[in-house]
Amino acid sequence: MINLKITSILNPAQWSSFVYDHPNGNVFQTPEMYEVYKNTKNYEPVFIAVIDDNDEILGILLAVIQKEYSGVLGKFSARSIIMGGPLIKDNNTEVLDFIITEYNKRIKGKAIYTQFRNQWQWKETEKE
């Protein structure tokens, strides 16, 4: 069994390479988009990576908490959006569950809802 670890700090080149090489890789899961979110008013990026004991990336999730207002009203208008992700190596459902569980812990109390904006389907539906 693989030992899974959570981190929020990755080498940007390693992160970029993972996104570039992933079949569903997209601009919304890149370190550059993290910087855009970080430098945009009323946006707060949330980044989670799952790595193994060899520091190989097994999955990433980049979300952004968007607030319509600053201050107290911001808490009541905050939503979290995950565009084009998460990206999981080999669509490993164990890694997916692990990253979503961590995401839920971090987002609790920060957003009134989360919206996934995937650009693909995780699994094809079975044909009857």
Side-chain angles (χ1 to χ4, degrees):
M1 184 168 166
I2 300 171
N3 186 24
L4 303 176
K5 299 183 286 186
I6 294 286
T7 186
S8 292
I9 301 169
L10 284 180
N11 174 303
Q14 183 186 16
W15 177 358
S16 288
S17 180
F18 180 81
V19 173
Y20 181 79
D21 293 337
H22 194 281
N24 297 315
N26 61 83
V27 68
F28 300 110
Q29 293 295 309
T30 62
E32 292 82 9
M33 188 57 74
Y34 177 92
E35 291 298 320
V36 169
Y37 293 154
K38 189 171 86 172
N39 293 302
T40 301
K41 183 179 178 183
N42 295 333
Y43 277 30
E44 177 186 341
V46 176
F47 177 68
I48 302 166
V50 176
I51 58 174
D52 64 13
D53 288 329
N54 298 318
D55 293 332
E56 179 184 354
I57 301 172
L58 304 176
I60 61 166
L61 180 148
L62 176 59
V64 62
I65 299 171
Q66 297 177 342
K67 297 179 181 179
E68 295 299 318
Y69 307 100
S70 299
V72 176
L73 288 178
K75 186 171 185 169
F76 297 105
S77 68
R79 63 189 176 272
S80 179
I81 299 175
I82 302 168
M83 293 185 258
L87 300 178
I88 307 297
K89 183 177 179 184
D90 301 325
N91 288 335
N92 182 320
T93 55
E94 180 184 1
V95 173
L96 177 63
D97 290 344
F98 195 68
I99 207 166
I100 295 297
T101 298
E102 180 65 21
Y103 169 78
N104 285 333
K105 289 178 193 173
R106 292 189 187 188
I107 204 72
K108 188 174 183 175
K110 292 186 175 186
I112 56 176
Y113 67 88
T114 295
Q115 184 179 52
F116 285 84
R117 294 184 183 170
N118 279 341
Q119 299 172 334
W120 70 94
Q121 288 184 322
W122 273 95
K123 292 184 180 180
E124 291 187 24
T125 55
E126 293 182 31
K127 296 183 181 175
E128 297 181 36

